[in-house]
Amino acid sequence: MARACARLFAHDDGRRLRAHLHALTLARHLGPDASDAALRHLEGQRALVAHLDRLIDEGRGSPAL
């Protein structure tokens, strides 16, 4: 699975998609009035993107952080 992710995200479209996912999740911040449900939802999204990042790094032969 790691090699497949590395291949998928190695091309221009994959890099654009990865940057988009980062912008939607990792670079997004909710305000102090955010509900518990909204916070949990965003954290779940962030966990999924972080998992993809780890798979990509593993597939490229980079050590996972």
Side-chain angles (χ1 to χ4, degrees):
M1 188 57 56
R3 285 187 298 228
C5 281
R7 282 192 308 269
L8 177 69
F9 288 95
H11 303 286
D12 288 340
D13 286 343
R15 285 191 290 271
R16 287 181 55 218
L17 175 58
R18 189 176 182 193
H20 179 69
L21 292 173
H22 278 244
L24 288 177
T25 60
L26 302 176
R28 184 174 170 211
H29 304 284
L30 299 179
D33 59 337
S35 70
D36 185 60
L39 291 168
R40 290 176 184 274
H41 184 71
L42 182 56
E43 282 305 307
Q45 292 174 333
R46 287 176 176 167
L48 179 58
V49 172
H51 180 67
L52 284 171
D53 285 343
R54 282 190 298 275
L55 284 172
I56 292 165
D57 289 343
E58 181 184 331
R60 290 178 178 166
S62 302
L65 299 177

